[in-house]
Amino acid sequence: MPFRNRRIRFTLLALAVAVTGLSAAGPAVAATPPPATSQTRETEPPTDFVDLAPSPLRAEGSRHVTVTYRNSGTTTVMVAPQLLLLSPDAGPYLTPADLTVERRTGHGCWVPVELGSQTGTLYTDLTGAQRRLDAGETLTERYRVTVVNPAARGVVQPRVALYG
């Protein structure tokens, strides 16, 4: 039997076994939702935002921005700090090439933060920034914003996303 025919027969046999196995398992398996994992939790949208004080984007040098949020509740919450970099209403709109954003790690190093862009607003990603915050704990995240294009204008709007 030529090699090509054996490969086709093997593929068809494997497909038949897979289909038979699924039909034998019945609709209960198909209806069972996947287990809740941290990955599914991270993809859920925030339920609310807490806006912090905005400030103008400085065209010269670097600027430090601190995002602070205290969980004054009695339960653990999931939060994510975020920076929005808002363009002027009349443009020109900010682009990721106009500035750099860095986040300070717990070891004191500055690491680059990628920026997303939508309709003239640049923003830091929420998914990778999520933190569990126990009752009474405070989140403090430090950022450094450096304008690369001296013509860039806008507003820095720090905020905290709340989940669940």
Side-chain angles (χ1 to χ4, degrees):
M1 178 182 298
F3 178 74
R4 181 183 167 132
N5 286 342
R6 278 190 285 177
R7 194 166 73 181
I8 291 172
R9 280 183 147 179
F10 179 77
T11 303
L12 290 173
L13 179 61
L15 182 60
V17 168
V19 169
T20 303
L22 283 177
S23 64
V29 170
T32 304
T37 64
S38 62
Q39 188 173 12
T40 20
R41 180 181 299 265
E42 288 178 358
T43 59
E44 292 177 7
T47 54
D48 201 4
F49 289 94
V50 176
D51 290 326
L52 304 175
S55 59
L57 185 64
R58 292 190 191 145
E60 303 92 27
S62 295
R63 164 160 197 242
H64 294 256
V65 178
T66 302
V67 178
T68 303
Y69 177 78
R70 180 169 175 75
N71 179 4
S72 57
T74 57
T75 61
T76 300
V77 294
M78 191 70 103
V79 299
Q82 185 178 48
L83 287 187
L84 300 178
L85 301 141
L86 308 167
S87 298
D89 289 338
Y93 296 126
L94 294 169
T95 67
D98 289 334
L99 45 94
T100 60
V101 175
E102 299 165 291
R103 181 184 56 80
R104 190 168 189 149
T105 67
H107 300 341
C109 301
W110 291 103
V111 294
V113 175
E114 284 191 47
L115 296 173
S117 178
Q118 184 176 356
T119 321
T121 299
L122 302 179
Y123 55 89
T124 58
D125 183 48
L126 287 172
T127 306
Q130 288 186 6
R131 309 277 188 282
R132 295 180 64 88
L133 202 57
D134 290 329
E137 283 188 329
T138 300
L139 165 77
T140 301
E141 199 73 57
R142 290 176 177 79
Y143 295 92
R144 181 168 61 188
V145 178
T146 304
V147 175
V148 177
N149 176 0
R153 300 287 180 261
V155 173
V156 178
Q157 172 67 64
R159 68 182 188 171
V160 177
L162 305 176
Y163 295 83

